[in-house]
Amino acid sequence: MKGEDPEHSLTVFDTLDLGNPKERRLAVYALNDYYGGVFAENKDSLDFWQRDLEMGIKHQWKKTKSRLDALDDIEIPGEYNTAIESVNEIRNNVSHDFTETPPRDILEKSRELAPEWREWINEVSEEYERHQESLTATEALVQVGKRRLEYIEDSPQNYSFGLDRRQESLNDDVSELRQDLEELSDEETVSRGLVETIADVMDLERDKDSLENEHGLREEEARREEEIRQAENTRRVIVTESVNEFGEIVVVTHEVGQPDETYVLDINHPDTPKDVRERLADLEPNEEVQLRIEEDMIRDKNGRIKTESYVAEIR
């Protein structure tokens, strides 16, 4: 089924009032969809894999630029970099922070450049496709190997749970295999050495896939554990004293089958989000709410370490 024309995303963008902060948040998603839609239009010419389309526009733009490196006479305007990377960054900020207000000027500039960039990317994608069709068998195999190495290589900092060392090891192997491919790239025919090197690259790619799967499983496990921890720290409370002049509110837990606990909470604690602080300030005695109460380790004026409760979330 043919995908929807990316131009529709710009039509949606143009209906939004950029003077309204909430509508600017929506405008970011429209621009992100536009740029991503154009990449999807050119996926075959740029030899994108399905997983490339499932990633953000920053990744897609980086991969596009790596493809265009094969062309000698292509110069990428710097303003295109700024537009795409800015939209990607703002979109990430908006999706992770419901109070984030996108800068209007960047959105307007990225919108202005969008049609021009689409025309340019369509032209260079076709030129790249013609270049690919002219490659010899050796050049094509070397290119396949190099592209798979691009996928395998990554920053170890992107991997937690002790898996960073495995990525470091993969990067070392990538460097060696990339050098082998360079040395084999000038051969007129496909040699046994090139075939064996490509086989080594494919083995390394399987190791990378295994690492990705394990990291994903550990992230999911950590996410579930965090959800359980947050649920355990969420308590139904009744306000006994509203916020006083010192910014303190007094609440008592009200859970069936559990003893009541009284909390004196500082709503100005640095880890209490602004929107939560504002809602706490409006609470009146006898109101019943759900609070996620966390603990922070602090050092008192005598230098002793103690725990301090604060409100992380209100429902």
Side-chain angles (χ1 to χ4, degrees), residues 100-111:
E100 177 73 17
T101 300
R104 179 172 179 169
D105 58 335
I106 295 179
L107 296 182
E108 290 176 334
K109 183 62 177 177
S110 298
R111 165 62 179 92

Side-chain angles (χ1 to χ4, degrees), residues 24 33 64 66 72 98 108 115 136 141 175 183 197 203 226 228-229 232 239 255 261 269:
R24 286 211 297 276
D33 283 352
T64 297
S66 74
D72 295 330
F98 292 109
E108 290 176 334
T136 66
L141 268 180
S175 297
E183 294 173 357
T197 299
D203 285 341
E226 176 62 15
I228 292 172
R229 188 195 66 79
E232 291 174 344
V239 178
E255 301 284 353
E261 291 183 79
H269 189 283

Side-chain angles (χ1 to χ4, degrees), residues 13 25 27-36 56-58 79-95 102-103 106-114:
F13 179 96
R25 289 173 59 87
V28 176
Y29 289 102
L31 283 178
N32 188 81
D33 283 352
Y34 175 83
Y35 284 104
I57 60 172
K58 181 179 181 180
E79 57 188 359
Y80 294 167
N81 274 320
T82 302
I84 294 175
E85 292 178 6
S86 295
V87 169
N88 180 80
E89 181 180 0
I90 295 170
R91 188 262 184 195
N92 288 341
N93 292 341
V94 165
S95 64
I106 295 179
L107 296 182
E108 290 176 334
K109 183 62 177 177
S110 298
R111 165 62 179 92
E112 178 186 345
L113 286 172

Side-chain angles (χ1 to χ4, degrees), residues 53-68:
L53 299 179
E54 296 168 359
M55 302 178 75
I57 60 172
K58 181 179 181 180
H59 165 84
Q60 294 160 3
W61 179 233
K62 179 181 178 181
K63 192 151 193 173
T64 297
K65 291 189 291 184
S66 74
R67 296 288 191 258
L68 300 183

